């Protein structure tokens, strides 16, 4: 039935419009009943027209997902708008508005979300290629109206069914921007610039509200590189202002980030050259890899606050990543960022210009601190907290030692010719890029070369072993003849009060003893004698030796305080032993001289007393018997103390001093390099290709130390420190730690030994008084004076017995018990020796 106001040119348009809009025949009949006449509107408001178009787009695009039908609908509307007669055009548009209002009410009550198996679903209609001819007004095409079935389905669960409008309401809100319009502004946004649609805010980009859910999700992914680009650009700008506060490795990294941003800018500009061919989906896929790269750089930026070694270590960790999109840029960034760090290593190895503040500022693992063995010097130490993970710790140790040895050879030894040759060769070898294997081989080679030359200098030119021998002889009492000559020639002087001993007296004594030792002049220049404590009564207790070593060797030997500490301890033992032996000689002289006649009378007296038990003793006879008993007792005690002192001296000389000295000499004279698993013959050299590139021979450049073990500078220092510490801080003479205490007494061994030597020193004094009183006693004929002398000798005898020998024996017993029960076999042996 023909519809009113139907123009022949537009016949069938409304049927097709109904088909696009899913309007069934009932609705059409309701609107276009036969004979009904809808009043023709003379005008249609543009806002109403836009509202209707938005409703159609919502129905077809967002509710029914029929994008094709939406395109067909647009063609139909365009065809309607071409109608020349205004009354007919307005009539068609009015009927379209009424159709929309009618279907909106019906769909609100009946539209349900149904699965594909539901009998209540709409049948899908398709448009053939002929539908494209709708724009041709002379063509009449009719399609069957959309039909739906009304058969019930028992499987439908009406409780779970929700209105379609309620489900999709969150996905379509208001007007939706066109994709082409969004793309026009995206280029500015992706380059970090603000625009009308995508304005920049403080911490991000504000997306327009006129977006559906899918478009919004896609744009969130598309604008991510823009946010990353903006953030990275800000970091670059901020660090350009403060670049003088960061290391060169970080400056190189930021330069690489800047190059990456320029590369990204070029990609964006090339992408938008053909803007008409772009879609949001294509932009997303084109920038997907670039987004991952920028994310990687964003992660790198987070490490800028770390120290240089930690920063580079974190970069190197990303080079192990499995994804090439992360691994490749990480490898490139690490190579560029680590280049200044490796250059810093080369400068440390060459030491052409020493600048410790630069090494520390750039994060190299070098630290300065006061030398604990030499307060006047600074020592370089390996800062283990700054070791990078991309260089093996052992290799870092070798790098540190090479630089330290070059500093020693250049500044202390002044071996400039060899250092210059080494530096030139180093530049030739280090000029090209090396992989990790070549770098390790290069460091191993340089370390071996420099260590060999240093060892040659220390052994042969600095006379390291000879000076150790001199120190062992002078200050550790290794040269027994020299110590004996000091005591023999200095006896008269050392018996005097310290206030009467002059520096000239000490110099003459020392010179006289040195002349007998036959030691080269160069090794005795540093030897000196002096008095420690002027408050002491006698020179024996205050006398000491000093030795001064200047020049490069002082760096290795350090402070000689430990030697002086041991000399003072050993000097006391030797001096007491010497005075005991001198006391024996004095008594022997008295027996052979002054007491010779007395002893003849004593022998006669003993014969008479054996014959006659009631023989009456004269005053002279009483003197002889008293002196005989006293001398016998003194001699027994003296012999006890002489044996004790000799046992102690022998223990220190043989088991502590000489044993450690021999062990040290074995470490120097060994044929193998025990401190390093790699000797010269076994060092891993670079491959042939690298040698050809470097055009430098890897033959050893320094003299070989075939008869000596090769050590670096710190190892020489450590060997000497361990040697002297093993002597001066032996558990028997140490005053720290429970290991130096006896298990029985709980007292330090050295304190117990010092107490015992105090008794010996006291005996020496008492012995001298006894000798003096004996001489006076034998020379007097006065009976009263005899009684006084007798009382004095009796008091001295009691002192010997109660205050010296008994106390000494008791404390010696405690010391031997502690030694015998100690875990150290040497101390156990010493305890058994003292007990015997």
């Amino acid at each position: 039935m023909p519809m009113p106001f139907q123009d022949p040119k537009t016949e069938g348009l409304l049927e097709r419009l109904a088909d696009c809009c899913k309007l069934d025949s009932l609705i059409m009949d309701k609107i276009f009943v036969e004979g009904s006449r809808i009043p023709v509107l003379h005008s249609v408001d543009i806002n109403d027209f836009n509202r209707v178009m938005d409703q159609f787009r919502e129905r077809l695009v967002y509710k029914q997902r029929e994008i094709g039908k939406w395109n067909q609908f647009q063609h139909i509307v365009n065809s309607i708008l071409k109608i020349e007669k205004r009354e007919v055009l307005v009539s068609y548009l009015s009927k379209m508005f009424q159709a929309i209002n009618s279907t909106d009410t019906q769909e609100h009550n009946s539209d349900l979300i149904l699965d594909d198996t539901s009998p209540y679903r709409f049948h899908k209609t398709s448009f053939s290629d002929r539908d494209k001819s709708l724009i041709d007004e002379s063509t009449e095409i009719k399609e069957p109206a959309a039909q739906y079935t009304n058969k019930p389905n028992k499987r439908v669960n009406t409780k779970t069914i929700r209105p379609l409008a309620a489900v999709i309401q969150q996905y379509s809100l208001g007007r939706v921007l066109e994709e082409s319009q969004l793309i026009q502004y995206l280029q500015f946004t992706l380059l970090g610039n603000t625009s009308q649609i995508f304005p920049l805010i403080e911490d991000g980009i504000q997306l327009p509200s006129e977006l559906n859910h899918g478009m919004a999700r896609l744009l969130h992914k598309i604008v991510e590189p823009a946010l990353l680009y903006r953030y990275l650009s800000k970091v670059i700008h901020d660090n350009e202002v403060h670049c003088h506060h960061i290391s060169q490795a970080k400056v190189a990294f930021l330069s690489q980030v800047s190059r990456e941003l320029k590369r990204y800018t070029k990609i964006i500009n090339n992408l938008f050259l053909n803007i008409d061919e772009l879609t949001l989906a294509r932009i997303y896929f084109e920038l997907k890899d670039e987004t991952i790269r920028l994310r990687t750089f964003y992660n790198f930026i987070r490490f800028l606050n770390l120290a240089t070694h930690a920063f580079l270590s974190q970069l190197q960790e990303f080079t192990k990543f499995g994804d090439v999109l992360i691994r490749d840029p990480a490898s490139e960034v690490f190579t560029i960022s680590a280049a200044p760090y490796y250059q810093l290593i080369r400068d440390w190895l060459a030491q052409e210009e020493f600048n410790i503040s630069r090494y520390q500022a750039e994060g190299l693992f070098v630290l300065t601190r006061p030398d604990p063995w030499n307060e006047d010097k600074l020592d370089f130490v390996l800062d283990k907290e700054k070791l990078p993970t991309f260089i093996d710790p052992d290799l870092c140790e070798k790098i540190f030692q090479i630089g330290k040895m070059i500093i020693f050879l250049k500044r202390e030894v002044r071996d400039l010719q060899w250092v210059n040759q080494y530096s030139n060769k180093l530049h030739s070898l280090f000029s090209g890029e090396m992989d990790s294997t070549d770098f390790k081989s290069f460091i191993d080679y340089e370390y071996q070369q420099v260590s060999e030359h240093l060892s040659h200098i220390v052994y042969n030119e600095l006379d390291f072993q000879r000076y150790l021998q001199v120190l062992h002889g002078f200050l550790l009492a290794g040269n027994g003849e020299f110590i004996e000559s000091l005591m023999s020639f200095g006896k008269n002087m050392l018996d005097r009060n310290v206030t009467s001993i002059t520096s000239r007296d000490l110099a003459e004594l020392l010179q006289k003893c040195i002349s007998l030792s036959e030691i080269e002049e160069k090794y005795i220049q540093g030897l000196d004698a002096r008095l420690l404590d002027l408050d002491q009564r006698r020179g024996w207790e205050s006398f000491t030796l000093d030795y001064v070593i200047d020049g490069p060797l002082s760096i290795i030997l350090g402070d000689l305080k430990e030697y002086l500490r041991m000399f003072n301890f050993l000097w006391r033992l030797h001096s007491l032993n010497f005075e005991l032996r001198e006391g024996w000689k004095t008594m022997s002289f008295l027996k052979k001289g002054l007491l010779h006649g007395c002893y003849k009378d004593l022998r006669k007296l003993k014969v008479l007393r054996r014959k006659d038990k009631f023989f009456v003793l004269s005053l002279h006879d009483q003197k002889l018997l008293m002196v005989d008993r006293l001398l016998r007792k003194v001699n027994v005690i003296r012999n006890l103390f002489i044996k004790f002192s000799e046992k102690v001296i022998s223990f220190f000389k043989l088991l502590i001093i000489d044993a450690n000295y021999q062990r040290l000499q074995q470490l120097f004279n060994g044929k193998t390099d025990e401190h390093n698993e790699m000797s010269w013959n076994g060092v891993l050299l670079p491959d042939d290709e690298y040698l050809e590139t470097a055009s430098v021979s890897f033959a050893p450049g320094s003299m070989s130390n075939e008869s000596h073990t090769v050590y670096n500078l710190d190892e020489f220092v450590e060997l000497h420190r361990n040697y002297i510490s093993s002597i001066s801080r032996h558990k028997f003479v140490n005053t720290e730690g429970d290991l130096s205490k006896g298990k029985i007494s709980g007292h330090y061994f050295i304190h117990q030994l010092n107490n015992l030597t105090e008794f010996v020193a006291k005996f020496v004094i008492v012995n001298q008084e006894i000798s003096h009183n004996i001489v006076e006693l034998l020379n007097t004929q006065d009976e009263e004076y005899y009684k006084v002398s007798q009382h004095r000798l009796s008091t001295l005898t009691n002192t010997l017995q109660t205050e010296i020998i008994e106390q000494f024996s008791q404390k010696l017993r405690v010391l031997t018990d502690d030694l015998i029960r100690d875990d150290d076999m040497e101390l156990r042996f010493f305890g058994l020796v003292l007990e015997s």
Side-chain angles (χ1 to χ4, degrees):
M1 180 180 301
M3 289 182 290
F5 307 104
Q6 183 170 348
D7 190 279
K9 295 182 179 180
T10 59
E11 185 179 358
L13 289 179
L14 289 180
E15 287 86 345
R16 295 183 180 280
L17 183 63
D19 181 61
C20 288
C21 300
K22 297 293 185 179
L23 303 177
D24 56 29
S25 58
L26 295 177
I27 299 174
M28 296 300 297
D29 293 342
K30 179 180 178 182
I31 297 175
F32 302 111
V33 295
E34 185 177 359
S36 67
R37 187 176 184 86
I38 304 297
V40 177
L41 301 177
H42 296 287
S43 64
V44 178
D45 187 80
I46 187 64
N47 293 329
D48 294 335
F49 180 76
N50 290 334
R51 179 181 58 80
V52 173
M53 293 297 291
D54 289 340
Q55 290 177 354
F56 270 100
R57 176 164 44 191
E58 179 181 350
R59 176 181 294 109
L60 296 177
V61 177
Y62 303 119
K63 288 185 177 182
Q64 301 172 6
R65 308 294 181 185
E66 296 286 355
I67 299 177
K69 290 185 178 293
W70 165 250
N71 294 332
Q72 293 293 333
F73 174 77
Q74 286 181 310
H75 285 297
I76 295 172
V77 173
N78 291 334
S79 299
I80 294 176
L81 294 176
K82 291 180 181 180
I83 298 176
E84 297 177 356
K85 294 181 180 181
R86 185 171 183 82
E87 294 84 359
V88 177
L89 173 60
V90 174
S91 177
Y92 275 118
L93 293 179
S94 299
K95 294 170 184 177
M96 185 177 68
F97 295 160
Q98 295 178 17
I100 287 298
N101 292 331
S102 176
T103 54
D104 282 346
T105 303
Q106 183 176 349
E107 288 181 0
H108 179 71
N109 296 325
S110 61
D111 281 359
L112 302 174
I113 299 178
L114 304 174
D115 58 17
D116 292 336
T117 60
S118 173
Y120 293 95
R121 67 185 183 278
F122 288 103
H123 293 289
K124 295 182 180 179
T125 59
S126 61
F127 288 82
S128 63
D129 293 337
R130 296 178 299 137
D131 298 336
K132 298 179 181 179
S133 61
L134 289 173
I135 60 175
D136 187 359
E137 298 179 358
S138 61
T139 306
E140 180 181 352
I141 303 174
K142 293 184 179 181
E143 291 290 339
Q147 303 290 330
Y148 67 92
T149 60
N150 195 19
K151 297 179 181 180
N153 187 345
K154 297 180 180 180
R155 293 181 296 174
V156 176
N157 185 0
T158 57
K159 293 183 179 180
T160 61
I161 297 177
R162 292 185 298 161
L164 180 61
V167 175
I168 67 174
Q169 182 179 4
Q170 57 180 325
Y171 298 105
S172 68
L173 297 173
R175 178 171 171 266
V176 178
L177 293 175
E178 296 292 340
E179 186 175 12
S180 59
Q181 188 178 6
L182 295 173
I183 294 174
Q184 289 178 356
Y185 290 91
L186 270 179
Q187 182 177 9
F188 302 98
T189 302
L190 291 173
L191 293 178
N193 299 318
T194 188
S195 63
Q196 182 178 359
I197 295 182
F198 302 103
L200 297 179
I201 57 178
E202 182 178 355
D203 56 350
I205 298 174
Q206 182 176 349
L207 298 180
S209 58
E210 297 87 353
L211 297 175
N212 60 61
H213 181 70
M215 196 175 292
R217 290 188 61 186
L218 194 58
L219 280 174
H220 270 90
K221 297 179 180 179
I222 291 175
V223 299
E224 181 184 355
L227 295 173
L228 295 170
Y229 175 86
R230 184 186 178 194
Y231 174 78
L232 295 176
S233 299
K234 183 178 183 301
V235 173
I236 296 296
H237 177 267
D238 293 342
N239 282 277
E240 285 178 351
V241 179
H242 306 287
C243 61
H244 56 283
H245 294 303
I246 61 178
S247 64
Q248 291 301 311
K250 294 181 180 179
V251 171
F253 165 76
L254 293 172
S255 299
Q256 179 61 17
V257 176
S258 180
R259 286 190 289 270
E260 179 67 19
L261 296 181
K262 292 179 181 178
R263 173 184 172 277
Y264 167 79
T265 301
K266 186 176 180 180
I267 291 175
I268 295 299
N269 291 332
N270 292 335
L271 177 62
F272 282 84
L273 287 177
N274 299 321
I275 192 171
D276 295 335
E277 300 177 1
L278 290 179
T279 62
L280 293 178
R282 180 182 173 186
I283 295 175
Y284 167 71
F285 284 109
E286 290 288 342
L287 297 181
K288 188 175 182 180
D289 291 351
E290 299 306 318
T291 302
I292 295 177
R293 286 180 65 94
L294 291 178
R295 286 177 189 168
T296 305
F297 279 88
Y298 172 78
N299 286 325
F300 294 162
I301 288 291
R302 294 186 298 112
F303 305 133
L304 275 176
N305 292 329
L306 299 176
T308 301
H309 71 284
F311 169 72
L312 293 175
S313 298
Q314 289 291 344
L315 293 184
Q316 197 265 347
E317 287 297 319
F318 277 84
T319 62
K320 306 174 185 178
F321 212 86
D323 192 343
V324 295
L325 293 176
I326 299 177
R327 183 180 64 230
D328 291 350
S331 299
E332 182 179 1
V333 169
F334 173 75
T335 301
I336 294 175
S337 302
Y341 191 80
Y342 281 103
Q343 178 65 36
L344 191 69
I345 291 177
R346 193 194 74 168
D347 294 343
W348 169 258
L349 295 176
Q351 287 298 333
E352 293 179 341
E353 181 181 355
F354 178 77
N355 190 346
I356 188 62
S357 59
R358 172 173 172 259
Y359 296 132
Q360 294 177 343
E362 293 293 328
L364 193 64
F365 38 83
V366 179
L367 186 66
T368 57
R369 68 177 182 186
D371 190 346
W373 289 70
N374 195 338
E375 298 177 356
D376 298 330
K377 293 184 179 293
L378 286 177
D379 187 27
F380 300 101
V381 294
L382 180 68
D383 191 352
K384 295 185 178 180
E385 295 183 357
K386 290 186 178 181
L387 296 183
T389 59
F390 53 89
I391 302 179
D392 188 84
D394 293 337
L395 214 58
C396 292
E397 173 72 27
K398 291 182 178 180
I399 292 171
F400 167 75
Q401 291 297 338
I402 292 172
K404 190 170 183 177
M405 288 187 286
I406 294 300
I407 294 174
F408 178 77
L409 293 171
K410 186 176 180 180
R411 299 173 60 182
E412 304 295 337
V413 182
R414 307 295 294 176
D415 191 0
L416 301 181
Q417 182 179 357
W418 187 91
V419 171
N420 290 335
Q421 293 176 354
Y422 156 81
S423 298
N424 293 335
K425 184 181 293 185
L426 178 71
H427 284 293
S428 300
L429 297 176
F430 209 87
S431 57
E433 294 184 359
M434 290 183 287
D435 57 22
S436 58
T437 302
D438 287 338
F439 181 72
K440 182 179 185 304
S441 302
F442 168 77
I443 296 299
D444 288 337
Y445 161 72
E446 293 297 329
Y447 176 79
Q448 188 68 25
Q449 184 187 40
V450 177
S451 298
E452 283 188 351
H453 183 72
L454 175 78
S455 299
H456 168 74
I457 294 294
V458 171
Y459 288 129
N460 301 316
E461 296 188 15
L462 300 183
D463 294 332
F464 180 48
Q465 288 180 286
R466 180 56 176 152
Y467 273 99
L468 287 178
Q469 184 181 11
V470 171
L471 291 173
H472 173 264
F474 285 156
L475 301 186
L476 298 182
N479 189 338
E481 294 181 357
F482 177 77
I483 297 297
E484 284 293 327
S485 63
L486 280 176
M487 294 185 293
S488 298
F489 294 127
K491 179 180 182 303
N492 294 331
M493 180 190 70
L494 297 175
D495 281 336
R496 304 200 313 256
N497 191 288
V498 293
T499 57
S500 64
I501 301 176
T502 65
S503 300
R504 183 175 180 178
D505 295 334
L506 295 173
E508 290 178 354
L509 171 64
L510 190 61
Q511 186 63 36
K512 188 175 183 178
C513 296
I514 288 175
S515 62
L516 300 176
S517 62
E518 298 181 356
I519 300 176
E520 299 91 323
E521 180 68 22
K522 62 180 293 186
Y523 300 116
I524 62 176
Q525 292 179 353
L527 187 62
D528 189 20
R530 54 194 179 90
L531 299 176
L532 280 177
D533 189 358
L534 298 180
D535 294 334
Q536 294 291 339
R537 187 171 63 87
R538 299 192 309 158
W540 288 105
E541 289 81 9
S542 183
F543 179 82
T544 187
L545 290 180
D546 193 9
Y547 199 92
V548 178
I549 296 179
D550 297 323
L553 196 59
S554 63
I555 303 296
I556 298 177
L557 295 177
D559 199 327
L560 301 181
K561 289 182 179 179
E562 294 299 309
Y563 281 95
L564 300 180
R565 177 174 178 268
M566 282 304 301
F567 176 80
N568 295 332
F569 172 75
L570 294 172
W571 173 258
R572 180 167 179 77
L573 293 177
H574 279 279
S575 62
L576 288 176
N577 181 264
F578 176 80
E579 290 192 284
L580 289 172
R581 288 185 283 112
E582 287 296 312
W584 179 268
K585 292 180 182 179
T586 300
M587 285 302 174
S588 298
F589 175 78
L590 287 175
K591 287 182 179 180
K592 294 178 182 180
L594 180 62
L595 300 180
H596 180 69
C598 295
Y599 270 93
K600 286 184 179 180
D601 297 339
L602 182 62
R603 285 194 293 270
K604 293 179 182 179
L605 178 61
K606 289 181 179 180
V607 173
L608 293 174
R609 293 192 66 183
R610 281 196 299 269
K611 291 180 180 180
D612 185 2
K613 296 180 180 180
F614 300 101
F615 181 78
V616 178
L617 297 174
S618 65
L619 179 62
H620 180 68
D621 294 337
Q622 294 178 8
K623 291 180 183 180
L624 293 177
L625 292 175
M626 180 179 180
V627 169
D628 179 59
R629 289 194 301 270
L630 185 57
L631 290 179
R632 287 177 181 274
K633 188 168 188 176
V634 169
N635 287 337
V636 170
I637 296 175
R638 183 187 300 107
N639 288 339
L640 174 66
F641 287 152
I642 288 176
K643 289 182 180 180
F644 168 76
S645 62
E646 289 179 346
K647 289 177 181 179
V648 175
I649 291 173
S650 298
F651 168 72
F652 274 95
K653 176 177 174 54
L654 298 177
L655 296 183
I656 297 181
I657 298 176
D658 288 351
N660 283 287
Y661 181 75
Q662 293 301 323
R663 278 194 288 267
L664 179 65
Q665 295 303 316
Q666 291 176 1
L667 292 174
F668 289 147
N669 300 328
K671 296 290 184 180
T672 58
D673 190 0
E674 297 179 357
H675 75 286
N676 188 349
E677 62 182 4
M678 304 184 71
S679 63
W680 170 252
N681 294 330
V683 69
L684 180 63
L685 298 180
D687 55 25
D688 295 335
E689 294 182 0
Y690 180 71
L691 290 176
E692 294 175 359
T693 304
S695 300
V696 177
S697 173
F698 267 72
S702 61
M703 297 181 62
S704 175
N705 296 281
E706 296 181 356
S707 60
H708 296 95
T709 307
V710 175
Y711 293 107
N712 62 43
L713 183 61
D714 275 355
E715 287 171 334
F716 274 116
V717 174
E718 191 66 21
L719 284 173
H720 175 255
R721 288 180 180 176
N722 291 339
Y723 158 68
I724 187 60
S725 296
S726 64
I727 296 174
S728 64
R729 300 299 173 180
H730 188 277
K731 64 183 299 184
F732 188 82
V733 295
N734 197 15
T735 56
E736 296 179 358
D738 294 336
L739 294 178
S740 298
K741 294 181 179 180
K743 294 185 177 180
I744 304 300
S745 66
H747 299 300
Y748 288 107
F749 294 122
I750 186 60
H751 289 169
Q752 297 184 60
L753 180 62
N754 289 334
N755 288 334
L756 292 174
T757 57
E758 290 293 333
F759 292 113
V760 178
K762 190 174 183 179
F763 168 79
V764 171
I765 297 175
V766 172
N767 183 36
Q768 292 175 350
E769 293 182 3
I770 290 176
S771 300
H772 178 72
N773 280 274
I774 286 176
V775 173
E776 289 186 350
L777 177 67
L778 294 176
N779 289 332
T780 184
Q781 299 297 327
D782 186 358
E783 184 174 355
E784 292 296 329
Y785 188 80
Y786 165 74
K787 293 180 180 179
V788 173
S789 297
Q790 185 182 27
H791 177 72
R792 290 177 182 174
L793 290 175
S794 177
T795 302
L796 291 174
T797 303
N798 292 332
T799 300
L800 283 177
Q801 182 65 34
T802 58
E803 297 183 12
I804 297 179
I805 190 63
E806 290 182 0
Q807 294 291 330
F808 176 83
S809 299
Q810 179 182 355
K811 293 184 180 299
L812 180 61
R813 179 72 263 172
V814 175
L815 176 60
T816 54
D817 289 342
D818 283 340
L819 293 172
I820 291 174
R821 287 166 176 77
D822 195 80
D823 297 331
D824 191 322
M825 297 303 299
E826 292 181 352
L827 293 185
R828 286 188 180 184
F829 173 74
F830 181 43
L832 294 174
V833 171
L834 289 179
E835 191 179 36
S836 62

